[in-house]
Amino acid sequence: MKTNHLLTLAVIMMAVLLAGCQQKKNDEYTMKTEEFGQFEGHDIVLITLENSAGNIVKLTNWGATVVWIEVPDRDGNLDNITFGYEDFEGYLNGDPYFGSIVGRYANRIANGRFTLDDVQYNLAINNEPNTLHGGPGGWHSVVWNYETFNDESGIPVVKFTYDSPDMEEGYPGNMHIITTYRWSEENELEIEYECTTDKKTVLNITNHAYFNLKGAGNGDILDHELQIKASAYTPVDANLIPTGKLTPVEGTPFDFTTPHKIGERIDEDFEQLILGKGYDHNFVLNNTEEVDAVVYEPSTGRMIEMITDQPGVQFYCGNFLDGTQYGHGGKAYNYRGGFCLETQHFPDSPNQDGFPSSVLEPGDKFVSKTVYRFSAK
Ligand code: GAL
């Protein structure tokens, strides 16, 4: 009897103690910085943010990159749903911009040149015959400075900064870039950009995360249901450069104003799908509602809501993935195994008078925010 009492007491005390730990954990976010690698004498770190629900985002100062996003499905099973590599070396061997920040000009600039105030600027051609994603030495492949702290509400914040020198990759002006990530209690990954320049230049900055809501490396994304609040898109030529037209999506396989499975119309005999090898196009956002795009994956119930103040989003569905890149857990990232929603100015804007201007003047500050909100239902 006495032993029984003692045992019961011990069990109660353990339960109280465990509840205490749990309580403590529920009140706190955690943030951890560890070594990820070395690059030309610079420390590359992996920063882990864990919110109070136990959901995790990992970032690195290499390319200010999102490495890992671990969120629950409708039954509470956790999985990482973004593409990344197990170790830093992966990022140096043919990485197609997995999760990185892309600049100074995300997307394509036709023939690698543009003119500002009668001066022609020539850029590196890294995607024949165009410049893609800021050139080979763009912001995805540089070491960013970083700082970690908690904001007033206790939310973990990682602030990456980079000073892009005048004429880096052919672009004029010394530019100072701040990319700030916040990982909220509600599983919102907020990305905020602030850029300034000392000379007139052009700018288009985005994050190039690939998502698969079944879990990164778990099959293709053709069953994901997509909605984009865009009544028009910018069709392209054979080099994936916009023709300059804003074409209504209505009546075409580009109409995602109501949800459609990504794979539903992707193989239709439609010129723009043939040119893009699938969807690889800029959608002209209506910017009239809070949420600009929603993706839902029926088997897991996972969902992304994307919110941005940018005029466009490049919906790219991994048409160039070929299974030669291996990510977390050695999983191959296969053809159409992930999709991107790259919020942006329109491709090739520096050469397209009819598009919203991507020019940044000295004295002005470019400020923009994109949020990916993760949930399950
Ligand atoms: C996307 C682009 C694609 C492809 C990809 C990287 O942003 O739209 O055409 O270049 O990046 O492989």
Side-chain angles (χ1 to χ4, degrees):
M1 189 64 176
K2 205 169 177 188
T3 334
N4 272 352
H5 260 114
L6 277 174
L7 255 173
T8 317
L9 199 68
V11 168
I12 290 172
M13 277 175 69
M14 278 293 282
V16 168
L17 260 173
L18 278 174
C21 289
Q22 194 61 42
Q23 188 56 48
K24 187 159 188 292
K25 179 134 183 15
N26 279 342
D27 288 346
E28 280 183 1
Y29 294 92
T30 59
M31 186 148 47
K32 179 175 79 181
T33 303
E34 61 198 305
E35 197 186 322
F36 199 36
Q38 284 285 318
F39 185 79
E40 294 177 354
H42 297 278
D43 289 338
I44 307 298
V45 295
L46 187 67
I47 305 167
T48 301
L49 312 179
E50 182 174 347
N51 68 15
S52 62
N55 301 319
I56 293 172
V57 164
K58 296 183 189 180
L59 308 166
T60 176
N61 58 329
W62 175 255
T65 297
V66 178
V67 175
W68 178 275
I69 302 171
E70 187 180 314
V71 285
D73 66 8
R74 66 163 79 83
D75 300 318
N77 301 309
L78 295 172
D79 210 339
N80 164 53
I81 49 99
T82 200
F83 287 14
Y85 297 99
E86 199 76 45
D87 45 37
F88 172 58
E89 281 63 43
Y91 289 90
L92 303 178
N93 298 313
D95 163 37
Y97 312 92
F98 290 163
S100 41
I101 292 299
V102 175
R104 185 177 300 198
Y105 202 93
N107 218 307
R108 291 175 173 82
I109 294 188
N111 303 310
R113 52 174 187 262
F114 65 95
T115 303
L116 264 185
D117 293 340
D118 299 327
V119 179
Q120 181 176 306
Y121 294 94
N122 299 304
L123 314 166
I125 310 289
N126 60 338
N127 186 252
E128 276 294 330
N130 308 314
T131 300
L132 176 69
H133 292 334
W139 299 344
H140 62 285
S141 62
V142 299
V143 182
W144 293 59
N145 297 315
Y146 68 94
E147 179 184 342
T148 60
F149 55 93
N150 293 84
D151 73 7
E152 328 72 57
S153 347
I155 291 176
V157 181
V158 183
K159 188 169 163 180
F160 290 108
T161 55
Y162 178 64
D163 287 298
S164 168
D166 187 23
M167 296 311 287
E168 182 185 40
E169 299 291 299
Y171 294 94
N174 291 295
M175 191 177 274
H176 182 65
I177 308 106
I178 307 175
T179 298
T180 307
Y181 289 96
R182 291 186 181 80
W183 179 227
S184 85
E185 179 84 356
E186 286 79 33
N187 293 341
E188 293 156 324
L189 182 63
E190 181 186 301
I191 313 172
E192 195 172 73
Y193 307 105
E194 280 180 47
C195 306
T196 47
T197 181
D198 64 358
K199 237 190 234 171
K200 189 168 178 177
T201 190
V202 296
L203 167 71
N204 190 23
I205 185 168
T206 193
N207 177 284
H208 205 292
Y210 291 67
F211 301 104
N212 182 328
L213 298 180
K214 291 186 278 201
N218 294 348
D220 65 43
I221 43 75
L222 299 176
D223 281 350
H224 288 51
E225 293 165 12
L226 169 70
Q227 185 177 17
I228 307 180
K229 315 269 180 74
S231 306
Y233 73 113
T234 52
V236 291
D237 66 15
N239 293 321
L240 299 183
I241 295 295
T243 59
K245 289 195 190 113
L246 269 55
T247 301
V249 294
E250 203 181 341
T252 78
F254 285 75
D255 190 348
F256 285 98
T257 53
T258 55
H260 285 271
K261 285 196 189 305
I262 293 173
E264 184 186 318
R265 301 163 295 180
I266 201 168
D267 292 323
E268 280 184 16
D269 185 16
F270 189 80
E271 192 194 18
Q272 283 301 313
L273 285 171
I274 294 163
L275 291 172
K277 299 183 170 51
Y279 297 103
D280 190 0
H281 293 78
N282 171 64
F283 285 72
V284 180
L285 293 170
N286 299 340
N287 286 139
T288 47
E289 291 170 57
E290 197 230 349
V291 173
D292 297 288
V294 183
V295 188
Y296 176 69
E297 199 289 299
S299 73
T300 59
R302 288 201 186 90
M303 185 159 102
I304 301 181
E305 290 166 285
M306 188 210 79
I307 299 147
T308 189
D309 52 20
Q310 286 295 285
V313 65
Q314 183 83 7
F315 170 53
Y316 167 61
C317 62
N319 309 309
F320 293 113
L321 295 169
D322 59 5
T324 53
Q325 296 293 312
Y326 294 87
H328 302 294
K331 285 186 182 170
Y333 293 140
N334 291 319
Y335 178 59
R336 295 182 177 163
F339 66 89
C340 304
L341 288 169
E342 305 154 50
T343 58
Q344 60 178 1
H345 268 64
F346 303 171
D348 197 37
S349 297
N351 294 310
Q352 306 254 3
D353 290 342
F355 287 177
S357 170
S358 58
V359 170
L360 186 67
E361 301 270 1
D364 286 351
K365 192 195 259 187
F366 171 86
V367 182
S368 174
K369 197 197 278 186
T370 291
V371 177
Y372 298 103
R373 183 190 291 149
F374 304 96
S375 59
K377 65 173 185 189

